[in-house]
Amino acid sequence: MEPDSRIGRMSDWSTLRATHRRPLRVALLPCAGRGERAGGGRPKQYVEVSGRSVVHWTLLAFDELVGQGQLDGVAVVLSPGDEEFVQAVPPALRERLQVMPVGGATRAHSVWGGLQALAREGLGETDWVLVHDAARCLIEPAELLRLIVACEGDAVGGLLACPVPDTLKRADALGRVQDTVPRDHLWAAQTPQMFRLGLLRDVLGRALQAGIPVTDEAGAVEWAGQAPKLVAGPADNFKLTYPDDFRRAAEVLARRSTSIGTTP
Ligand code: CTP
Ligand code: MG
């Protein structure tokens, strides 16, 4: 018999859909990376920032939206054999998640594994999936809701992104400026990226099979010839990538907790 390695509750999406008049909205968090650029002895999503693990902070934002009835579930993709997630996220929160040990060699493979699992468990072709990096722990519920509102009536779907504020330089092999890239119309892609399960499975599966390097979901959708919608996101929804990002994230979280404390 196959061991049931799910840590959280199993969702029955088709039963849930019967109780909803709209397509379901499910968050899918790839959490199976190794965090090599961040250095440190462990995957960055399990590093503690301001008293909680990175992935715990991320999950709190999504859980709040579940509590508000705006999101119907949260699924987390882990590396097979991951033993750190259970230490990093408290049991009460884990109970409200679906955990899928189907992580792969790249982020795209992990997302692909998660989409396959969601489809197997009855999530429908027209239901929405919000893919979000576990390592992007500064996302706030209001931003998630803004993305949902902006995309749910859209034929393709979309993503949070930020207009690029800096002048951009292309480097040569010696690390010197080759030229300046006009930044007009350039946006830095963030997550969540919100697409219908059917579309995303189709394009991601085909892109992976074709050997296309896919770094985000929108990239696969574009590759298949469709134009995802850009939804302006907050500048502080950055992905913790390098060692210094943990300090920056702690500063943002400290600022937020102070402003919550002083709100009349
Ligand atoms: N991710 C994943 N499976 C992988 C690689 C990445 O689920 N094989 C997840 C990471 O856990 C992270 C998100 O995708 O939440 C964004 O990826 P990235 O920032 O590249 O994280 P890592 O791959 O862990 O970091 P690095 O590239 O520095 O090793
Ligand atoms: Mg990576």
Side-chain angles (χ1 to χ4, degrees), residues 30-38 44-45 77 103-107 110-111 132-136 239-241:
C31 187
R34 295 217 297 259
E36 278 165 10
R37 287 169 290 177
K44 61 191 176 185
Q45 59 272 30
V77 176
T106 68
R107 180 185 178 285
S110 295
V111 171
H132 182 75
D133 296 322
R136 220 175 265 275
K239 179 162 64 70
L240 276 65
T241 303

mmCIF file with all atom_site columns, all heavy atoms in Angstrom, residues 30-38 44-45 77 103-107 110-111 132-136 239-241, ligand 1:
data_model
loop_
_atom_site.group_PDB
_atom_site.id
_atom_site.type_symbol
_atom_site.label_atom_id
_atom_site.label_alt_id
_atom_site.label_comp_id
_atom_site.label_asym_id
_atom_site.label_entity_id
_atom_site.label_seq_id
_atom_site.pdbx_PDB_ins_code
_atom_site.Cartn_x
_atom_site.Cartn_y
_atom_site.Cartn_z
_atom_site.occupancy
_atom_site.B_iso_or_equiv
_atom_site.pdbx_formal_charge
_atom_site.auth_seq_id
_atom_site.auth_comp_id
_atom_site.auth_asym_id
_atom_site.auth_atom_id
_atom_site.pdbx_PDB_model_num
ATOM   1   N N   . PRO A 1 30  ? 4.592  26.400 -4.200  1.00 0.00 ? 30  PRO A N   1
ATOM   2   C CA  . PRO A 1 30  ? 5.805  25.595 -4.351  1.00 0.00 ? 30  PRO A CA  1
ATOM   3   C C   . PRO A 1 30  ? 6.749  25.890 -3.183  1.00 0.00 ? 30  PRO A C   1
ATOM   4   O O   . PRO A 1 30  ? 7.139  27.033 -2.969  1.00 0.00 ? 30  PRO A O   1
ATOM   5   C CB  . PRO A 1 30  ? 6.386  26.059 -5.698  1.00 0.00 ? 30  PRO A CB  1
ATOM   6   C CG  . PRO A 1 30  ? 5.783  27.400 -5.962  1.00 0.00 ? 30  PRO A CG  1
ATOM   7   C CD  . PRO A 1 30  ? 4.471  27.449 -5.229  1.00 0.00 ? 30  PRO A CD  1
ATOM   8   N N   . CYS A 1 31  ? 7.086  24.831 -2.440  1.00 0.00 ? 31  CYS A N   1
ATOM   9   C CA  . CYS A 1 31  ? 7.866  24.976 -1.195  1.00 0.00 ? 31  CYS A CA  1
ATOM   10  C C   . CYS A 1 31  ? 8.933  23.884 -1.157  1.00 0.00 ? 31  CYS A C   1
ATOM   11  O O   . CYS A 1 31  ? 9.255  23.343 -0.122  1.00 0.00 ? 31  CYS A O   1
ATOM   12  C CB  . CYS A 1 31  ? 6.880  24.847 -0.024  1.00 0.00 ? 31  CYS A CB  1
ATOM   13  S SG  . CYS A 1 31  ? 7.547  25.178 1.597   1.00 0.00 ? 31  CYS A SG  1
ATOM   14  N N   . ALA A 1 32  ? 9.428  23.524 -2.337  1.00 0.00 ? 32  ALA A N   1
ATOM   15  C CA  . ALA A 1 32  ? 10.320 22.360 -2.435  1.00 0.00 ? 32  ALA A CA  1
ATOM   16  C C   . ALA A 1 32  ? 11.721 22.739 -2.913  1.00 0.00 ? 32  ALA A C   1
ATOM   17  O O   . ALA A 1 32  ? 12.472 21.883 -3.374  1.00 0.00 ? 32  ALA A O   1
ATOM   18  C CB  . ALA A 1 32  ? 9.703  21.323 -3.373  1.00 0.00 ? 32  ALA A CB  1
ATOM   19  N N   . GLY A 1 33  ? 12.064 24.035 -2.808  1.00 0.00 ? 33  GLY A N   1
ATOM   20  C CA  . GLY A 1 33  ? 13.391 24.454 -3.254  1.00 0.00 ? 33  GLY A CA  1
ATOM   21  C C   . GLY A 1 33  ? 14.446 24.260 -2.176  1.00 0.00 ? 33  GLY A C   1
ATOM   22  O O   . GLY A 1 33  ? 14.128 23.957 -1.023  1.00 0.00 ? 33  GLY A O   1
ATOM   23  N N   . ARG A 1 34  ? 15.703 24.448 -2.574  1.00 0.00 ? 34  ARG A N   1
ATOM   24  C CA  . ARG A 1 34  ? 16.802 24.264 -1.625  1.00 0.00 ? 34  ARG A CA  1
ATOM   25  C C   . ARG A 1 34  ? 17.386 25.586 -1.133  1.00 0.00 ? 34  ARG A C   1
ATOM   26  O O   . ARG A 1 34  ? 18.213 25.619 -0.230  1.00 0.00 ? 34  ARG A O   1
ATOM   27  C CB  . ARG A 1 34  ? 17.897 23.436 -2.292  1.00 0.00 ? 34  ARG A CB  1
ATOM   28  C CG  . ARG A 1 34  ? 17.411 22.009 -2.613  1.00 0.00 ? 34  ARG A CG  1
ATOM   29  C CD  . ARG A 1 34  ? 18.497 21.000 -2.396  1.00 0.00 ? 34  ARG A CD  1
ATOM   30  N NE  . ARG A 1 34  ? 19.608 21.243 -3.306  1.00 0.00 ? 34  ARG A NE  1
ATOM   31  C CZ  . ARG A 1 34  ? 19.823 20.551 -4.410  1.00 0.00 ? 34  ARG A CZ  1
ATOM   32  N NH1 . ARG A 1 34  ? 19.002 19.583 -4.727  1.00 0.00 ? 34  ARG A NH1 1
ATOM   33  N NH2 . ARG A 1 34  ? 20.846 20.815 -5.179  1.00 0.00 ? 34  ARG A NH2 1
ATOM   34  N N   . GLY A 1 35  ? 17.023 26.678 -1.772  1.00 0.00 ? 35  GLY A N   1
ATOM   35  C CA  . GLY A 1 35  ? 17.483 27.984 -1.314  1.00 0.00 ? 35  GLY A CA  1
ATOM   36  C C   . GLY A 1 35  ? 18.982 28.169 -1.418  1.00 0.00 ? 35  GLY A C   1
ATOM   37  O O   . GLY A 1 35  ? 19.611 28.707 -0.495  1.00 0.00 ? 35  GLY A O   1
ATOM   38  N N   . GLU A 1 36  ? 19.572 27.756 -2.512  1.00 0.00 ? 36  GLU A N   1
ATOM   39  C CA  . GLU A 1 36  ? 21.032 27.801 -2.612  1.00 0.00 ? 36  GLU A CA  1
ATOM   40  C C   . GLU A 1 36  ? 21.598 29.213 -2.599  1.00 0.00 ? 36  GLU A C   1
ATOM   41  O O   . GLU A 1 36  ? 22.619 29.478 -1.972  1.00 0.00 ? 36  GLU A O   1
ATOM   42  C CB  . GLU A 1 36  ? 21.492 27.026 -3.847  1.00 0.00 ? 36  GLU A CB  1
ATOM   43  C CG  . GLU A 1 36  ? 21.533 25.542 -3.511  1.00 0.00 ? 36  GLU A CG  1
ATOM   44  C CD  . GLU A 1 36  ? 21.622 24.636 -4.711  1.00 0.00 ? 36  GLU A CD  1
ATOM   45  O OE1 . GLU A 1 36  ? 21.848 25.140 -5.821  1.00 0.00 ? 36  GLU A OE1 1
ATOM   46  O OE2 . GLU A 1 36  ? 21.451 23.423 -4.519  1.00 0.00 ? 36  GLU A OE2 1
ATOM   47  N N   . ARG A 1 37  ? 20.909 30.156 -3.267  1.00 0.00 ? 37  ARG A N   1
ATOM   48  C CA  . ARG A 1 37  ? 21.445 31.530 -3.294  1.00 0.00 ? 37  ARG A CA  1
ATOM   49  C C   . ARG A 1 37  ? 21.376 32.202 -1.928  1.00 0.00 ? 37  ARG A C   1
ATOM   50  O O   . ARG A 1 37  ? 22.072 33.172 -1.671  1.00 0.00 ? 37  ARG A O   1
ATOM   51  C CB  . ARG A 1 37  ? 20.707 32.358 -4.352  1.00 0.00 ? 37  ARG A CB  1
ATOM   52  C CG  . ARG A 1 37  ? 21.068 31.999 -5.774  1.00 0.00 ? 37  ARG A CG  1
ATOM   53  C CD  . ARG A 1 37  ? 20.139 32.650 -6.760  1.00 0.00 ? 37  ARG A CD  1
ATOM   54  N NE  . ARG A 1 37  ? 18.797 32.065 -6.707  1.00 0.00 ? 37  ARG A NE  1
ATOM   55  C CZ  . ARG A 1 37  ? 17.758 32.480 -7.417  1.00 0.00 ? 37  ARG A CZ  1
ATOM   56  N NH1 . ARG A 1 37  ? 17.902 33.523 -8.218  1.00 0.00 ? 37  ARG A NH1 1
ATOM   57  N NH2 . ARG A 1 37  ? 16.588 31.892 -7.332  1.00 0.00 ? 37  ARG A NH2 1
ATOM   58  N N   . ALA A 1 38  ? 20.508 31.705 -1.062  1.00 0.00 ? 38  ALA A N   1
ATOM   59  C CA  . ALA A 1 38  ? 20.382 32.310 0.264   1.00 0.00 ? 38  ALA A CA  1
ATOM   60  C C   . ALA A 1 38  ? 21.495 31.845 1.206   1.00 0.00 ? 38  ALA A C   1
ATOM   61  O O   . ALA A 1 38  ? 21.681 32.424 2.281   1.00 0.00 ? 38  ALA A O   1
ATOM   62  C CB  . ALA A 1 38  ? 19.023 31.955 0.860   1.00 0.00 ? 38  ALA A CB  1
ATOM   63  N N   . LYS A 1 44  ? 15.498 28.048 2.511   1.00 0.00 ? 44  LYS A N   1
ATOM   64  C CA  . LYS A 1 44  ? 15.163 29.381 3.039   1.00 0.00 ? 44  LYS A CA  1
ATOM   65  C C   . LYS A 1 44  ? 13.736 29.490 3.554   1.00 0.00 ? 44  LYS A C   1
ATOM   66  O O   . LYS A 1 44  ? 13.446 30.296 4.426   1.00 0.00 ? 44  LYS A O   1
ATOM   67  C CB  . LYS A 1 44  ? 15.408 30.434 1.958   1.00 0.00 ? 44  LYS A CB  1
ATOM   68  C CG  . LYS A 1 44  ? 14.563 30.251 0.707   1.00 0.00 ? 44  LYS A CG  1
ATOM   69  C CD  . LYS A 1 44  ? 15.037 31.140 -0.417  1.00 0.00 ? 44  LYS A CD  1
ATOM   70  C CE  . LYS A 1 44  ? 14.235 30.876 -1.688  1.00 0.00 ? 44  LYS A CE  1
ATOM   71  N NZ  . LYS A 1 44  ? 14.754 31.649 -2.825  1.00 0.00 ? 44  LYS A NZ  1
ATOM   72  N N   . GLN A 1 45  ? 12.813 28.648 3.021   1.00 0.00 ? 45  GLN A N   1
ATOM   73  C CA  . GLN A 1 45  ? 11.419 28.765 3.459   1.00 0.00 ? 45  GLN A CA  1
ATOM   74  C C   . GLN A 1 45  ? 11.242 28.336 4.909   1.00 0.00 ? 45  GLN A C   1
ATOM   75  O O   . GLN A 1 45  ? 10.209 28.607 5.506   1.00 0.00 ? 45  GLN A O   1
ATOM   76  C CB  . GLN A 1 45  ? 10.483 27.964 2.534   1.00 0.00 ? 45  GLN A CB  1
ATOM   77  C CG  . GLN A 1 45  ? 10.747 26.483 2.406   1.00 0.00 ? 45  GLN A CG  1
ATOM   78  C CD  . GLN A 1 45  ? 11.749 26.174 1.291   1.00 0.00 ? 45  GLN A CD  1
ATOM   79  O OE1 . GLN A 1 45  ? 12.627 26.980 0.993   1.00 0.00 ? 45  GLN A OE1 1
ATOM   80  N NE2 . GLN A 1 45  ? 11.627 24.992 0.687   1.00 0.00 ? 45  GLN A NE2 1
ATOM   81  N N   . VAL A 1 77  ? 3.337  22.330 -1.972  1.00 0.00 ? 77  VAL A N   1
ATOM   82  C CA  . VAL A 1 77  ? 4.170  21.287 -2.601  1.00 0.00 ? 77  VAL A CA  1
ATOM   83  C C   . VAL A 1 77  ? 5.504  21.190 -1.858  1.00 0.00 ? 77  VAL A C   1
ATOM   84  O O   . VAL A 1 77  ? 6.251  22.169 -1.779  1.00 0.00 ? 77  VAL A O   1
ATOM   85  C CB  . VAL A 1 77  ? 4.448  21.619 -4.084  1.00 0.00 ? 77  VAL A CB  1
ATOM   86  C CG1 . VAL A 1 77  ? 5.399  20.589 -4.686  1.00 0.00 ? 77  VAL A CG1 1
ATOM   87  C CG2 . VAL A 1 77  ? 3.149  21.676 -4.873  1.00 0.00 ? 77  VAL A CG2 1
ATOM   88  N N   . GLY A 1 103 ? 7.305  17.573 -4.974  1.00 0.00 ? 103 GLY A N   1
ATOM   89  C CA  . GLY A 1 103 ? 8.273  18.533 -5.513  1.00 0.00 ? 103 GLY A CA  1
ATOM   90  C C   . GLY A 1 103 ? 9.204  17.888 -6.528  1.00 0.00 ? 103 GLY A C   1
ATOM   91  O O   . GLY A 1 103 ? 9.488  16.694 -6.456  1.00 0.00 ? 103 GLY A O   1
ATOM   92  N N   . GLY A 1 104 ? 9.678  18.714 -7.481  1.00 0.00 ? 104 GLY A N   1
ATOM   93  C CA  . GLY A 1 104 ? 10.558 18.198 -8.527  1.00 0.00 ? 104 GLY A CA  1
ATOM   94  C C   . GLY A 1 104 ? 11.867 18.962 -8.603  1.00 0.00 ? 104 GLY A C   1
ATOM   95  O O   . GLY A 1 104 ? 12.210 19.747 -7.713  1.00 0.00 ? 104 GLY A O   1
ATOM   96  N N   . ALA A 1 105 ? 12.592 18.751 -9.705  1.00 0.00 ? 105 ALA A N   1
ATOM   97  C CA  . ALA A 1 105 ? 13.949 19.289 -9.838  1.00 0.00 ? 105 ALA A CA  1
ATOM   98  C C   . ALA A 1 105 ? 13.978 20.805 -9.986  1.00 0.00 ? 105 ALA A C   1
ATOM   99  O O   . ALA A 1 105 ? 14.947 21.451 -9.585  1.00 0.00 ? 105 ALA A O   1
ATOM   100 C CB  . ALA A 1 105 ? 14.621 18.644 -11.051 1.00 0.00 ? 105 ALA A CB  1
ATOM   101 N N   . THR A 1 106 ? 12.957 21.383 -10.579 1.00 0.00 ? 106 THR A N   1
ATOM   102 C CA  . THR A 1 106 ? 12.901 22.841 -10.724 1.00 0.00 ? 106 THR A CA  1
ATOM   103 C C   . THR A 1 106 ? 11.557 23.321 -10.190 1.00 0.00 ? 106 THR A C   1
ATOM   104 O O   . THR A 1 106 ? 10.637 22.515 -9.986  1.00 0.00 ? 106 THR A O   1
ATOM   105 C CB  . THR A 1 106 ? 12.995 23.271 -12.206 1.00 0.00 ? 106 THR A CB  1
ATOM   106 O OG1 . THR A 1 106 ? 11.789 22.840 -12.872 1.00 0.00 ? 106 THR A OG1 1
ATOM   107 C CG2 . THR A 1 106 ? 14.210 22.679 -12.909 1.00 0.00 ? 106 THR A CG2 1
ATOM   108 N N   . ARG A 1 107 ? 11.460 24.638 -10.021 1.00 0.00 ? 107 ARG A N   1
ATOM   109 C CA  . ARG A 1 107 ? 10.191 25.210 -9.555  1.00 0.00 ? 107 ARG A CA  1
ATOM   110 C C   . ARG A 1 107 ? 9.041  24.776 -10.470 1.00 0.00 ? 107 ARG A C   1
ATOM   111 O O   . ARG A 1 107 ? 7.965  24.388 -10.013 1.00 0.00 ? 107 ARG A O   1
ATOM   112 C CB  . ARG A 1 107 ? 10.305 26.740 -9.507  1.00 0.00 ? 107 ARG A CB  1
ATOM   113 C CG  . ARG A 1 107 ? 9.038  27.447 -9.042  1.00 0.00 ? 107 ARG A CG  1
ATOM   114 C CD  . ARG A 1 107 ? 9.215  28.957 -9.156  1.00 0.00 ? 107 ARG A CD  1
ATOM   115 N NE  . ARG A 1 107 ? 8.028  29.690 -8.764  1.00 0.00 ? 107 ARG A NE  1
ATOM   116 C CZ  . ARG A 1 107 ? 6.913  29.790 -9.496  1.00 0.00 ? 107 ARG A CZ  1
ATOM   117 N NH1 . ARG A 1 107 ? 6.842  29.209 -10.680 1.00 0.00 ? 107 ARG A NH1 1
ATOM   118 N NH2 . ARG A 1 107 ? 5.885  30.480 -9.062  1.00 0.00 ? 107 ARG A NH2 1
ATOM   119 N N   . SER A 1 110 ? 7.937  21.349 -9.759  1.00 0.00 ? 110 SER A N   1
ATOM   120 C CA  . SER A 1 110 ? 7.172  21.277 -8.503  1.00 0.00 ? 110 SER A CA  1
ATOM   121 C C   . SER A 1 110 ? 5.742  21.755 -8.725  1.00 0.00 ? 110 SER A C   1
ATOM   122 O O   . SER A 1 110 ? 4.780  21.136 -8.250  1.00 0.00 ? 110 SER A O   1
ATOM   123 C CB  . SER A 1 110 ? 7.846  22.135 -7.416  1.00 0.00 ? 110 SER A CB  1
ATOM   124 O OG  . SER A 1 110 ? 9.110  21.606 -7.095  1.00 0.00 ? 110 SER A OG  1
ATOM   125 N N   . VAL A 1 111 ? 5.587  22.863 -9.444  1.00 0.00 ? 111 VAL A N   1
ATOM   126 C CA  . VAL A 1 111 ? 4.246  23.385 -9.722  1.00 0.00 ? 111 VAL A CA  1
ATOM   127 C C   . VAL A 1 111 ? 3.457  22.363 -10.549 1.00 0.00 ? 111 VAL A C   1
ATOM   128 O O   . VAL A 1 111 ? 2.292  22.080 -10.277 1.00 0.00 ? 111 VAL A O   1
ATOM   129 C CB  . VAL A 1 111 ? 4.324  24.750 -10.441 1.00 0.00 ? 111 VAL A CB  1
ATOM   130 C CG1 . VAL A 1 111 ? 2.948  25.195 -10.941 1.00 0.00 ? 111 VAL A CG1 1
ATOM   131 C CG2 . VAL A 1 111 ? 4.928  25.801 -9.515  1.00 0.00 ? 111 VAL A CG2 1
ATOM   132 N N   . HIS A 1 132 ? 1.895  30.621 -5.787  1.00 0.00 ? 132 HIS A N   1
ATOM   133 C CA  . HIS A 1 132 ? 2.654  31.635 -5.033  1.00 0.00 ? 132 HIS A CA  1
ATOM   134 C C   . HIS A 1 132 ? 3.905  31.023 -4.415  1.00 0.00 ? 132 HIS A C   1
ATOM   135 O O   . HIS A 1 132 ? 3.832  29.971 -3.764  1.00 0.00 ? 132 HIS A O   1
ATOM   136 C CB  . HIS A 1 132 ? 1.773  32.237 -3.933  1.00 0.00 ? 132 HIS A CB  1
ATOM   137 C CG  . HIS A 1 132 ? 2.463  33.315 -3.149  1.00 0.00 ? 132 HIS A CG  1
ATOM   138 N ND1 . HIS A 1 132 ? 2.663  34.584 -3.663  1.00 0.00 ? 132 HIS A ND1 1
ATOM   139 C CD2 . HIS A 1 132 ? 3.028  33.315 -1.921  1.00 0.00 ? 132 HIS A CD2 1
ATOM   140 C CE1 . HIS A 1 132 ? 3.301  35.320 -2.763  1.00 0.00 ? 132 HIS A CE1 1
ATOM   141 N NE2 . HIS A 1 132 ? 3.545  34.572 -1.703  1.00 0.00 ? 132 HIS A NE2 1
ATOM   142 N N   . ASP A 1 133 ? 5.045  31.701 -4.598  1.00 0.00 ? 133 ASP A N   1
ATOM   143 C CA  . ASP A 1 133 ? 6.306  31.230 -4.015  1.00 0.00 ? 133 ASP A CA  1
ATOM   144 C C   . ASP A 1 133 ? 6.210  31.205 -2.491  1.00 0.00 ? 133 ASP A C   1
ATOM   145 O O   . ASP A 1 133 ? 5.909  32.244 -1.879  1.00 0.00 ? 133 ASP A O   1
ATOM   146 C CB  . ASP A 1 133 ? 7.449  32.180 -4.379  1.00 0.00 ? 133 ASP A CB  1
ATOM   147 C CG  . ASP A 1 133 ? 7.707  32.222 -5.875  1.00 0.00 ? 133 ASP A CG  1
ATOM   148 O OD1 . ASP A 1 133 ? 7.603  31.169 -6.524  1.00 0.00 ? 133 ASP A OD1 1
ATOM   149 O OD2 . ASP A 1 133 ? 8.034  33.326 -6.373  1.00 0.00 ? 133 ASP A OD2 1
ATOM   150 N N   . ALA A 1 134 ? 6.528  30.063 -1.898  1.00 0.00 ? 134 ALA A N   1
ATOM   151 C CA  . ALA A 1 134 ? 6.551  29.994 -0.430  1.00 0.00 ? 134 ALA A CA  1
ATOM   152 C C   . ALA A 1 134 ? 7.527  31.024 0.126   1.00 0.00 ? 134 ALA A C   1
ATOM   153 O O   . ALA A 1 134 ? 7.352  31.531 1.242   1.00 0.00 ? 134 ALA A O   1
ATOM   154 C CB  . ALA A 1 134 ? 6.955  28.586 0.006   1.00 0.00 ? 134 ALA A CB  1
ATOM   155 N N   . ALA A 1 135 ? 8.547  31.346 -0.654  1.00 0.00 ? 135 ALA A N   1
ATOM   156 C CA  . ALA A 1 135 ? 9.599  32.262 -0.188  1.00 0.00 ? 135 ALA A CA  1
ATOM   157 C C   . ALA A 1 135 ? 9.224  33.741 -0.343  1.00 0.00 ? 135 ALA A C   1
ATOM   158 O O   . ALA A 1 135 ? 10.035 34.615 -0.091  1.00 0.00 ? 135 ALA A O   1
ATOM   159 C CB  . ALA A 1 135 ? 10.895 31.976 -0.950  1.00 0.00 ? 135 ALA A CB  1
ATOM   160 N N   . ARG A 1 136 ? 8.014  34.017 -0.749  1.00 0.00 ? 136 ARG A N   1
ATOM   161 C CA  . ARG A 1 136 ? 7.568  35.415 -0.908  1.00 0.00 ? 136 ARG A CA  1
ATOM   162 C C   . ARG A 1 136 ? 6.618  35.690 0.260   1.00 0.00 ? 136 ARG A C   1
ATOM   163 O O   . ARG A 1 136 ? 5.404  35.709 0.107   1.00 0.00 ? 136 ARG A O   1
ATOM   164 C CB  . ARG A 1 136 ? 6.855  35.551 -2.266  1.00 0.00 ? 136 ARG A CB  1
ATOM   165 C CG  . ARG A 1 136 ? 7.157  36.806 -3.022  1.00 0.00 ? 136 ARG A CG  1
ATOM   166 C CD  . ARG A 1 136 ? 6.480  36.750 -4.375  1.00 0.00 ? 136 ARG A CD  1
ATOM   167 N NE  . ARG A 1 136 ? 7.333  36.271 -5.426  1.00 0.00 ? 136 ARG A NE  1
ATOM   168 C CZ  . ARG A 1 136 ? 8.184  37.027 -6.136  1.00 0.00 ? 136 ARG A CZ  1
ATOM   169 N NH1 . ARG A 1 136 ? 8.276  38.316 -5.898  1.00 0.00 ? 136 ARG A NH1 1
ATOM   170 N NH2 . ARG A 1 136 ? 8.937  36.489 -7.075  1.00 0.00 ? 136 ARG A NH2 1
ATOM   171 N N   . LYS A 1 239 ? 10.780 38.324 -3.302  1.00 0.00 ? 239 LYS A N   1
ATOM   172 C CA  . LYS A 1 239 ? 11.073 36.920 -2.983  1.00 0.00 ? 239 LYS A CA  1
ATOM   173 C C   . LYS A 1 239 ? 12.382 36.863 -2.208  1.00 0.00 ? 239 LYS A C   1
ATOM   174 O O   . LYS A 1 239 ? 13.392 37.398 -2.678  1.00 0.00 ? 239 LYS A O   1
ATOM   175 C CB  . LYS A 1 239 ? 11.197 36.112 -4.280  1.00 0.00 ? 239 LYS A CB  1
ATOM   176 C CG  . LYS A 1 239 ? 11.535 34.648 -4.042  1.00 0.00 ? 239 LYS A CG  1
ATOM   177 C CD  . LYS A 1 239 ? 11.214 33.814 -5.268  1.00 0.00 ? 239 LYS A CD  1
ATOM   178 C CE  . LYS A 1 239 ? 12.058 34.212 -6.462  1.00 0.00 ? 239 LYS A CE  1
ATOM   179 N NZ  . LYS A 1 239 ? 13.471 33.841 -6.336  1.00 0.00 ? 239 LYS A NZ  1
ATOM   180 N N   . LEU A 1 240 ? 12.383 36.251 -1.055  1.00 0.00 ? 240 LEU A N   1
ATOM   181 C CA  . LEU A 1 240 ? 13.630 36.114 -0.301  1.00 0.00 ? 240 LEU A CA  1
ATOM   182 C C   . LEU A 1 240 ? 14.555 35.213 -1.114  1.00 0.00 ? 240 LEU A C   1
ATOM   183 O O   . LEU A 1 240 ? 14.223 34.041 -1.376  1.00 0.00 ? 240 LEU A O   1
ATOM   184 C CB  . LEU A 1 240 ? 13.354 35.518 1.090   1.00 0.00 ? 240 LEU A CB  1
ATOM   185 C CG  . LEU A 1 240 ? 12.926 36.547 2.157   1.00 0.00 ? 240 LEU A CG  1
ATOM   186 C CD1 . LEU A 1 240 ? 11.592 37.179 1.820   1.00 0.00 ? 240 LEU A CD1 1
ATOM   187 C CD2 . LEU A 1 240 ? 12.879 35.919 3.532   1.00 0.00 ? 240 LEU A CD2 1
ATOM   188 N N   . THR A 1 241 ? 15.665 35.787 -1.537  1.00 0.00 ? 241 THR A N   1
ATOM   189 C CA  . THR A 1 241 ? 16.557 35.061 -2.444  1.00 0.00 ? 241 THR A CA  1
ATOM   190 C C   . THR A 1 241 ? 17.988 35.043 -1.919  1.00 0.00 ? 241 THR A C   1
ATOM   191 O O   . THR A 1 241 ? 18.629 33.988 -1.880  1.00 0.00 ? 241 THR A O   1
ATOM   192 C CB  . THR A 1 241 ? 16.533 35.715 -3.846  1.00 0.00 ? 241 THR A CB  1
ATOM   193 O OG1 . THR A 1 241 ? 15.180 35.742 -4.322  1.00 0.00 ? 241 THR A OG1 1
ATOM   194 C CG2 . THR A 1 241 ? 17.387 34.920 -4.842  1.00 0.00 ? 241 THR A CG2 1
HETATM 195 N N1  . CTP B 2 .   ? 10.780 25.752 -5.547  1.00 0.00 ? 1   CTP B N1  1
HETATM 196 C C1  . CTP B 2 .   ? 10.186 24.486 -5.579  1.00 0.00 ? 1   CTP B C1  1
HETATM 197 N N2  . CTP B 2 .   ? 10.819 23.448 -6.199  1.00 0.00 ? 1   CTP B N2  1
HETATM 198 C C2  . CTP B 2 .   ? 12.034 23.625 -6.768  1.00 0.00 ? 1   CTP B C2  1
HETATM 199 C C3  . CTP B 2 .   ? 12.653 24.903 -6.759  1.00 0.00 ? 1   CTP B C3  1
HETATM 200 C C4  . CTP B 2 .   ? 11.986 25.952 -6.126  1.00 0.00 ? 1   CTP B C4  1
HETATM 201 O O1  . CTP B 2 .   ? 9.085  24.307 -5.052  1.00 0.00 ? 1   CTP B O1  1
HETATM 202 N N3  . CTP B 2 .   ? 12.642 22.582 -7.330  1.00 0.00 ? 1   CTP B N3  1
HETATM 203 C C5  . CTP B 2 .   ? 10.099 26.837 -4.817  1.00 0.00 ? 1   CTP B C5  1
HETATM 204 C C6  . CTP B 2 .   ? 10.944 27.439 -3.710  1.00 0.00 ? 1   CTP B C6  1
HETATM 205 O O2  . CTP B 2 .   ? 10.783 26.677 -2.497  1.00 0.00 ? 1   CTP B O2  1
HETATM 206 C C7  . CTP B 2 .   ? 10.419 28.861 -3.606  1.00 0.00 ? 1   CTP B C7  1
HETATM 207 C C8  . CTP B 2 .   ? 9.917  29.157 -5.008  1.00 0.00 ? 1   CTP B C8  1
HETATM 208 O O3  . CTP B 2 .   ? 9.848  27.909 -5.707  1.00 0.00 ? 1   CTP B O3  1
HETATM 209 O O4  . CTP B 2 .   ? 9.345  28.969 -2.699  1.00 0.00 ? 1   CTP B O4  1
HETATM 210 C C9  . CTP B 2 .   ? 10.790 30.149 -5.756  1.00 0.00 ? 1   CTP B C9  1
HETATM 211 O O5  . CTP B 2 .   ? 12.015 29.553 -6.133  1.00 0.00 ? 1   CTP B O5  1
HETATM 212 P P1  . CTP B 2 .   ? 13.474 30.102 -5.792  1.00 0.00 ? 1   CTP B P1  1
HETATM 213 O O6  . CTP B 2 .   ? 13.405 31.458 -5.210  1.00 0.00 ? 1   CTP B O6  1
HETATM 214 O O7  . CTP B 2 .   ? 14.355 29.837 -6.953  1.00 0.00 ? 1   CTP B O7  1
HETATM 215 O O8  . CTP B 2 .   ? 13.862 29.131 -4.555  1.00 0.00 ? 1   CTP B O8  1
HETATM 216 P P2  . CTP B 2 .   ? 15.026 28.060 -4.489  1.00 0.00 ? 1   CTP B P2  1
HETATM 217 O O9  . CTP B 2 .   ? 15.077 27.263 -5.727  1.00 0.00 ? 1   CTP B O9  1
HETATM 218 O O10 . CTP B 2 .   ? 14.786 27.340 -3.195  1.00 0.00 ? 1   CTP B O10 1
HETATM 219 O O11 . CTP B 2 .   ? 16.319 28.984 -4.323  1.00 0.00 ? 1   CTP B O11 1
HETATM 220 P P3  . CTP B 2 .   ? 17.680 28.917 -5.201  1.00 0.00 ? 1   CTP B P3  1
HETATM 221 O O12 . CTP B 2 .   ? 17.234 29.064 -6.638  1.00 0.00 ? 1   CTP B O12 1
HETATM 222 O O13 . CTP B 2 .   ? 18.490 30.051 -4.683  1.00 0.00 ? 1   CTP B O13 1
HETATM 223 O O14 . CTP B 2 .   ? 18.287 27.576 -4.908  1.00 0.00 ? 1   CTP B O14 1
#
